[in-house]
Amino acid sequence: MADEERVDIDVGLDEIDAALRRREKRRKDEETVKVVEEVFDYRTLLALHKLLSRGVISRLYGAVASGKEARIHLGVTPSGEYVAVKIFLVATAEFRRGRLKYILGDPRFRRVKRDIRSIVKAWCYKEYRNLSRAYSAGVTTPKPHAAYENILVMEFIDAGEPGVPAPTLKEVLPEEPEQLYQQLKEEIRKTYQAGLVHADLSEYNILYKSGKGVLIDWGSAVLTSHPHAHEFLLHDIRTVFRYFRKLGVDTEDPLEFYRQLAQEK
Ligand SMILES: Nc1ncnc2c1ncn2[C@@H]1O[C@H](COP(=O)(O)OP(=O)(O)OP(=O)(O)O)[C@@H](O)[C@H]1O
Ligand SMILES: [Mg+2]
């Protein structure tokens, strides 16, 4: 070995150990970065960056649930509160499986991609506005934190264990169905009096926590002035009442309850 290539070292087990751990750590970081890049598209990464730098969240963890149009991640705020981070999927897996993958890959259709992005953003903001309106009216629903691009941040409804999402009514057998039925009628009433109709209300969009129903997924909600609002309202009532009838609750006539609500307003 030539002299200039000789390196003077004097190390023991500790130094070797530390060096190995540093290298190991670097490798792990790279893995994380790779995973992050695979999971989120570029624009979503930019949006996440914004939410992190604004201090809306301080950490983002893995997905706890995924629906047709969005993934729900667990996040934490700078003050240590857990939040649900709903990331609406923009032309990802779901879309790419279909014909759209050819369109999106074609530079002539760049506009289509932009348009899809703005539709998804509008959908996200619509859900945020509806959620905020319902929450302000005292409806039992997650507290809204923020919406940015295709990301909605709200209170995390847990199952009593931090970071574990509460089950939907589809997934549990409620302990006091009669009480829950009364509460949910009240939620439908409050929503309607706030000038809103949920329009996608069912056991799939109600979380069950401490014996109470928590309404989620406000993306489809409409103002009561919407031409189909009353049709949607009756549909919501029928769906919820049917759920409780199956549990043996002696529900009233959906049409009767609907008429009552419409009259009260
Ligand atoms: N605030 C929240 N706290 C805890 N878990 C939540 C929260 N919001 C949503 N989730 C979880 O994520 C799931 C999907 O949420 P949501 O219904 O809003 O999304 P979606 O994409 O519209 O779903 P789908 O298309 O299946 O209706 C819920 O069933 C629930 O498990
Ligand atoms: Mg849903």
Side-chain angles (χ1 to χ4, degrees), residues 103-121:
I103 297 175
L104 293 180
D106 188 325
R108 289 169 303 167
F109 294 105
R110 216 169 279 146
R111 216 191 131 65
V112 174
K113 194 164 176 180
R114 261 214 318 273
D115 289 348
I116 291 170
R117 179 160 286 282
S118 45
I119 291 167
V120 171
K121 178 175 172 174

Side-chain angles (χ1 to χ4, degrees), residues 117-134:
R117 179 160 286 282
S118 45
I119 291 167
V120 171
K121 178 175 172 174
W123 189 256
C124 174
Y125 278 61
K126 180 175 181 249
E127 174 159 352
Y128 178 71
R129 276 204 313 276
N130 293 332
L131 172 66
S132 303
R133 189 167 179 145

Side-chain angles (χ1 to χ4, degrees), residues 8-265:
D8 217 3
I9 52 167
D10 174 10
V11 292
L13 183 60
D14 283 355
E15 285 88 347
I16 297 289
D17 201 39
L20 278 173
R21 265 188 283 128
R22 264 243 302 278
R23 214 157 120 173
E24 173 98 282
K25 186 156 181 278
R26 202 148 58 225
R27 243 206 13 242
K28 272 194 197 136
D29 286 351
E30 280 165 13
E31 282 293 298
T32 307
V33 169
K34 234 167 59 197
V35 169
V36 163
E37 277 168 355
E38 276 161 17
V39 171
F40 304 114
D41 63 80
Y42 180 65
R43 298 288 210 97
T44 301
L45 283 177
L46 286 182
L48 282 172
H49 185 271
K50 192 78 161 193
L51 290 171
L52 285 157
S53 62
R54 277 189 191 167
V56 174
I57 54 171
S58 58
R59 304 291 302 171
L60 180 78
Y61 303 107
V64 295
S66 45
K68 290 182 289 290
E69 74 217 12
R71 262 199 314 260
I72 282 74
H73 286 256
L74 176 67
V76 67
T77 67
S79 60
E81 218 182 314
Y82 279 123
V83 282
V85 182
K86 184 169 182 175
I87 304 183
F88 291 78
L89 308 173
V90 182
T92 48
E94 202 55 36
F95 274 127
R96 286 202 195 116
R97 239 170 263 141
R99 202 172 283 235
L100 210 61
K101 78 175 163 204
Y102 304 106
I103 297 175
L104 293 180
D106 188 325
R108 289 169 303 167
F109 294 105
R110 216 169 279 146
R111 216 191 131 65
V112 174
K113 194 164 176 180
R114 261 214 318 273
D115 289 348
I116 291 170
R117 179 160 286 282
S118 45
I119 291 167
V120 171
K121 178 175 172 174
W123 189 256
C124 174
Y125 278 61
K126 180 175 181 249
E127 174 159 352
Y128 178 71
R129 276 204 313 276
N130 293 332
L131 172 66
S132 303
R133 189 167 179 145
Y135 183 81
S136 305
V139 176
T140 309
T141 194
K143 180 186 169 136
H145 283 231
Y148 186 70
E149 293 290 333
N150 59 320
I151 306 176
L152 166 55
V153 184
M154 65 191 134
E155 177 189 357
F156 192 89
I157 307 299
D158 67 37
E161 211 179 309
V164 179
T168 63
L169 281 187
K170 181 67 195 170
E171 298 161 326
V172 284
L173 205 57
E175 276 165 26
E176 310 253 18
E178 172 65 37
Q179 270 176 19
L180 188 62
Y181 165 65
Q182 295 299 340
Q183 182 227 330
L184 286 171
K185 279 200 300 182
E186 214 33 57
E187 306 296 349
I188 295 173
R189 175 177 278 118
K190 278 188 213 156
T191 303
Y192 184 71
Q193 295 202 329
L196 268 187
V197 173
H198 185 288
D200 192 19
L201 203 57
S202 75
E203 57 272 36
Y204 292 91
N205 284 329
I206 303 174
L207 302 182
Y208 184 64
K209 182 175 168 87
S210 314
K212 283 182 92 177
V214 183
L215 278 55
I216 60 161
D217 204 358
W218 292 88
S220 313
V222 294
L223 297 177
T224 45
S225 57
H226 185 281
H228 294 294
H230 287 83
E231 198 183 297
F232 296 154
L233 173 63
L234 183 58
H235 186 267
D236 280 353
I237 295 172
R238 286 204 163 116
T239 310
V240 170
F241 282 25
R242 192 185 316 124
Y243 171 82
F244 283 104
R245 244 186 345 268
K246 279 196 207 142
L247 291 180
V249 176
D250 184 20
T251 58
E252 56 193 289
D253 177 15
L255 199 57
E256 194 48 47
F257 182 67
Y258 162 85
R259 288 202 182 112
Q260 215 178 296
L261 282 193
Q263 254 172 26
E264 281 169 19
K265 200 164 183 259

